Amino acid sequence: KNVSPSLVTTKHYKTTIPGLYLPGKQNIKISGFGNELSVLQSKQRPRKLTIYGDNGKEYNFLLKGR
């Protein structure tokens, strides 16, 4: 919520969950984002992000990079 308040407050995106897009199928869209990013204790210190799908499931992603 401190990194990007607009991501936490916005709901029901038109964007499909990353990695789950299938042409010609009904795709799972993003319904929201988790309130916190967890910083993992490794050399690159990746962040763990939770994305909520419109199917009611949670999807976890690692954000890596510079």
Side-chain angles (χ1 to χ4, degrees):
K1 65 185 175 184
N2 294 330
V3 174
S4 181
S6 63
L7 282 181
V8 175
T9 58
T10 304
K11 303 291 181 203
H12 306 292
Y13 292 80
K14 294 181 180 178
T15 307
T16 302
I17 300 278
L20 298 181
Y21 176 76
L22 297 171
K25 304 274 183 170
Q26 175 139 5
N27 289 288
I28 303 165
K29 301 219 175 4
I30 297 172
S31 67
F33 290 87
N35 289 333
E36 296 184 10
L37 287 175
S38 301
V39 179
L40 303 178
Q41 298 301 317
S42 69
K43 186 176 180 180
Q44 293 184 340
R45 300 183 52 82
R47 276 74 171 163
K48 181 179 168 189
L49 171 69
T50 301
I51 299 176
Y52 298 103
D54 63 0
N55 61 352
K57 293 185 179 179
E58 292 183 8
Y59 298 87
N60 293 308
F61 289 89
L62 288 181
L63 303 175
K64 299 166 80 175
R66 299 180 187 255

